[in-house]
Amino acid sequence: MIRRGYTVITPSACAVEVVDTTKGFKISEVLATNPQGSWIEYETTDFLNEKSTINPKIGEVEKSNSVMFYLSRSIKDKPEQRIFVIGDADCLSVKELSTSRAGLNGANFSMITEMFRSLSYDEYPINTDRVRPPDDDLYISQDAMIWVKIGFIWLIPLAIMVWSIVFLIKRKRR
């Protein structure tokens, strides 16, 4: 995506790192930050009022940090297990899909569709059709339709008005 000028926009991403490699997962890095201007901050806690600066004395290193991993492993007699671990769920939100930023060509929608494609074992798009229920039709004769019309246009509003008047009268008496 970088070669084509696209970016996955992760406004509040935090770095993710591999802690345990003994579970048999094949781990692939999917998203990472640029090496310039990216480090894990250990000192600053109030990012609104304080300016964060890199401090190599306490172990802060300016480097590319992983933001998203893809894990997969084979399980006996089952389909391959597939997992995405991402350090920013906001990049999957509808708000992020509809937000445009100057100078950035967001590729979040493409990332989401490819994630679903991978998780559904390349059976994408997912079929969400439902069987139509047998009782979803309503048949009313013309004679009955007159009474439905009278009910909705006159009787229900009249009942609401009478109930409101009775309610107001009772409330005034107290």
Side-chain angles (χ1 to χ4, degrees), residues 9 23 40 44-45 57 62 64 91 113-114 131 154 169:
I9 300 168
K23 303 295 181 189
I40 298 175
T44 306
T45 56
K57 294 177 187 173
E62 187 174 29
S64 177
C91 71
T113 55
E114 289 303 309
V131 176
W154 293 103
I169 291 172

Side-chain angles (χ1 to χ4, degrees), residues 138-150:
L138 179 64
Y139 299 102
I140 299 176
S141 68
Q142 286 295 332
D143 295 335
M145 195 63 185
I146 293 169
W147 289 107
V148 171
K149 186 176 179 180
I150 290 171

Side-chain angles (χ1 to χ4, degrees), residues 1-2 19 25 41 58 67 70 79 85 95 98 100 105 112 118 135 138 162-164 170 173-174:
M1 284 193 283
I2 292 173
V19 178
F25 284 101
E41 179 65 43
I58 61 168
V67 178
Y70 173 70
V85 178
K95 179 182 182 259
S98 62
S100 62
N105 294 323
I112 293 167
S118 175
D135 61 346
L138 179 64
V162 169
W163 179 81
S164 300
K170 283 186 177 182
R173 287 186 182 166
R174 289 185 194 177

Side-chain angles (χ1 to χ4, degrees), residues 3-18:
R3 280 181 258 137
R4 294 184 182 157
Y6 290 102
T7 306
V8 174
I9 300 168
T10 55
S12 57
C14 63
V16 291
E17 73 178 63
V18 178

Side-chain angles (χ1 to χ4, degrees), residues 73-165:
R73 70 175 173 181
S74 297
I75 300 175
K76 185 179 178 183
D77 299 329
K78 291 186 178 180
E80 180 184 53
Q81 183 178 16
R82 299 173 179 181
I83 302 170
F84 283 98
V85 178
I86 188 164
D88 179 25
D90 292 337
C91 71
L92 305 176
S93 70
V94 173
K95 179 182 182 259
E96 194 56 48
L97 292 176
S98 62
T99 302
S100 62
R101 291 182 171 79
L104 291 175
N105 294 323
N108 292 32
F109 184 77
S110 298
M111 180 191 71
I112 293 167
T113 55
E114 289 303 309
M115 286 173 62
F116 281 122
R117 184 187 60 74
S118 175
L119 292 173
S120 66
Y121 303 97
D122 296 330
E123 294 178 9
Y124 189 82
I126 299 168
N127 184 3
T128 58
D129 291 343
R130 299 288 178 254
V131 176
R132 194 170 168 169
D135 61 346
D136 67 344
D137 292 329
L138 179 64
Y139 299 102
I140 299 176
S141 68
Q142 286 295 332
D143 295 335
M145 195 63 185
I146 293 169
W147 289 107
V148 171
K149 186 176 179 180
I150 290 171
F152 277 105
I153 293 176
W154 293 103
L155 297 179
I156 293 175
L158 186 64
I160 293 172
M161 189 170 68
V162 169
W163 179 81
S164 300
I165 291 170

Side-chain angles (χ1 to χ4, degrees), residues 39-55 58 60:
W39 68 89
I40 298 175
E41 179 65 43
Y42 294 121
E43 291 180 314
T44 306
T45 56
D46 184 5
F47 291 98
L48 295 176
N49 298 321
E50 296 178 30
K51 181 173 173 38
S52 60
T53 56
I54 189 166
N55 185 354
I58 61 168
E60 295 177 352

